Amino acid sequence: MLNDRFTARAGELTSTSRISPQRPRRLRHTESLRRLVRETTLTPADLIMPLFVHAGEEARQPIHAMPGQFRLSVEAVTQEARQIADMGIPAVLLFGIPQEKDACGSDNFAHDGIIPRTISAIKQVAPELLIISDMCFCEYTDHGHCGVINQQGAPDHHAYLPEGYLLNDETLDLLRRASVVHARAGADIIAPSGMIDGMVGAIREALDLNGFDHTAIMSYAVKTASAFYGPFREAAGSAPAFGDRKQYQMDYANGREALREAALDVEEGADILMIKPALPNLDILRTVRQTFNLPTAAYQVSGEYAMLHAAGAQGWIDLRRCAMESLISIKRAGADMIVTYFAKDVVAWLD
Ligand code: PBG
């Protein structure tokens, strides 16, 4: 063996050598080479920072299962928004936690509701920052579901539908109202996240009829009924009081159905498609990106964030390197933009 290599080096065996001239490692052995051939990079412009705003006075309430994340007061969130804009992050995604919750989530479409107030306040301090308003009812309803529920005794009770069934078209009416209220307050993008059939079409129509044809829709097109939303529900106090969300959020076992969901949203006028959660759905992200040619977003959700933090805190993984690796793979799979609780950290790490 050693002898063969020696003769090969001497040039005597070159034509019969079975060693390929292909040496991928040639482009790996210095950091400059690796940078030169790197196919995927992350920049601040790729990132969307989610923020939780609550109606209380307390400036920053820590969220237990999401280290480094807080429920912020309106005042605190505007300061935060200014800082995020200064870091070069183009957009925030807002979630509201109202003072009072009720059966139809009325704070979500009240003109002085938590989100409309927050949107106007942020627009004053950071006009260039894009405001994406998460459009769903689970944070606003007392039952924690994403819309109107069929309930005995309610005015819109349907005797022939099961108790606890999410009423689709009644929910669309509320989505229409709330979307116009958020747009009027200054939201740049409405992001319906409830997986209600027809939500994109209904919101598009309501926005257009009210003079907001320039307001974009980022649809949570493929959102699976995922256990990775656990920490978020603690943060927003939005765990369903009964049952689960499987009657409207998608079964995560279904890839073909995911494409059908995305196709419907494209037809209904979505401007941006979102896939969520991100890491468990990289195959769907890739297919949706290639099939529809619309800007595609991925949401690295609360459970993905919490897992990385938990293992990092134990010293079992390197939080920063694992977070970057996850985000780069999400981008490589096809995400044009990523919603991530790491957005601010990433900008700091890139520096
Ligand atoms: C609202 C909504 C949820 C998330 C985003 N929008 C919760 C849910 O569907 O239960 C989850 C985000 C996260 O886990 O980070 N419907």
Side-chain angles (χ1 to χ4, degrees), residues 254-327:
N254 296 354
R256 287 194 304 272
E257 187 186 347
L259 275 184
R260 181 173 181 225
E261 279 286 0
L264 286 170
D265 287 2
V266 173
E267 242 169 69
E268 291 174 32
D271 300 288
I272 301 171
L273 299 172
M274 194 205 286
I275 313 300
K276 172 187 174 195
L279 215 54
N281 294 307
L282 294 184
D283 54 336
I284 292 173
L285 172 59
R286 159 64 53 103
T287 314
V288 165
R289 178 66 183 78
Q290 287 180 341
T291 308
F292 299 102
N293 261 321
L294 278 188
T296 306
Y299 196 145
Q300 183 188 51
V301 301
S302 57
E304 300 179 74
Y305 178 82
M307 282 196 303
L308 288 164
H309 262 282
Q314 293 282 345
W316 294 339
I317 61 168
D318 181 319
L319 171 66
R320 169 178 167 166
R321 288 172 53 210
C322 288
M324 284 302 280
E325 189 173 330
S326 302
L327 291 164

Side-chain angles (χ1 to χ4, degrees), residues 123-190:
K123 278 291 165 193
Q124 292 195 355
V125 300
E128 79 278 31
L129 184 68
L130 292 171
I131 298 186
I132 309 175
S133 165
D134 181 86
M135 181 47 63
C136 191
F137 280 91
C138 59
E139 301 113 77
Y140 303 92
T141 52
D142 49 15
H143 45 66
H145 280 284
C146 301
V148 185
I149 288 292
N150 201 35
Q151 273 172 326
Q152 201 62 248
D156 40 16
H157 182 251
H158 293 252
Y160 52 87
L161 287 173
E163 289 301 293
Y165 183 78
L166 187 129
L167 298 172
N168 200 87
D169 296 12
E170 283 82 347
T171 300
L172 292 182
D173 287 339
L174 297 186
L175 288 170
R176 283 191 177 92
R177 276 175 75 176
S179 299
V180 171
V181 169
H182 291 204
R184 200 166 275 145
D188 301 283
I189 302 178
I190 305 290

Side-chain angles (χ1 to χ4, degrees), residues 134 136 138 193 223 229 232-233 245 249 276 302 341:
D134 181 86
C136 191
C138 59
S193 66
K223 176 172 177 181
Y229 311 147
F232 175 96
R233 291 180 188 170
R245 302 208 203 290
Q249 296 181 351
K276 172 187 174 195
S302 57
Y341 302 97

Side-chain angles (χ1 to χ4, degrees), residues 220-243:
Y220 288 65
V222 181
K223 176 172 177 181
T224 61
S226 169
F228 285 104
Y229 311 147
F232 175 96
R233 291 180 188 170
E234 177 218 317
S238 64
F242 56 87

Side-chain angles (χ1 to χ4, degrees), residues 56-136:
E57 292 297 310
E58 204 181 330
R60 296 164 82 80
Q61 280 177 353
I63 301 166
H64 176 238
M66 300 175 71
Q69 304 299 315
F70 300 85
R71 286 185 215 87
L72 302 164
S73 64
V74 176
E75 163 100 24
V77 88
T78 51
Q79 289 166 15
E80 187 75 19
R82 187 58 260 165
Q83 209 191 338
I84 288 168
D86 289 339
M87 294 177 91
I89 295 170
V92 291
L93 173 63
L94 295 184
F95 296 99
I97 305 140
Q99 196 76 270
E100 302 280 334
K101 305 194 183 209
D102 59 24
C104 64
S106 52
D107 192 88
N108 200 22
F109 49 83
H111 293 278
D112 59 352
I114 180 70
I115 288 298
R117 281 195 285 132
T118 303
I119 295 172
S120 345
I122 293 180
K123 278 291 165 193
Q124 292 195 355
V125 300
E128 79 278 31
L129 184 68
L130 292 171
I131 298 186
I132 309 175
S133 165
D134 181 86
M135 181 47 63
C136 191

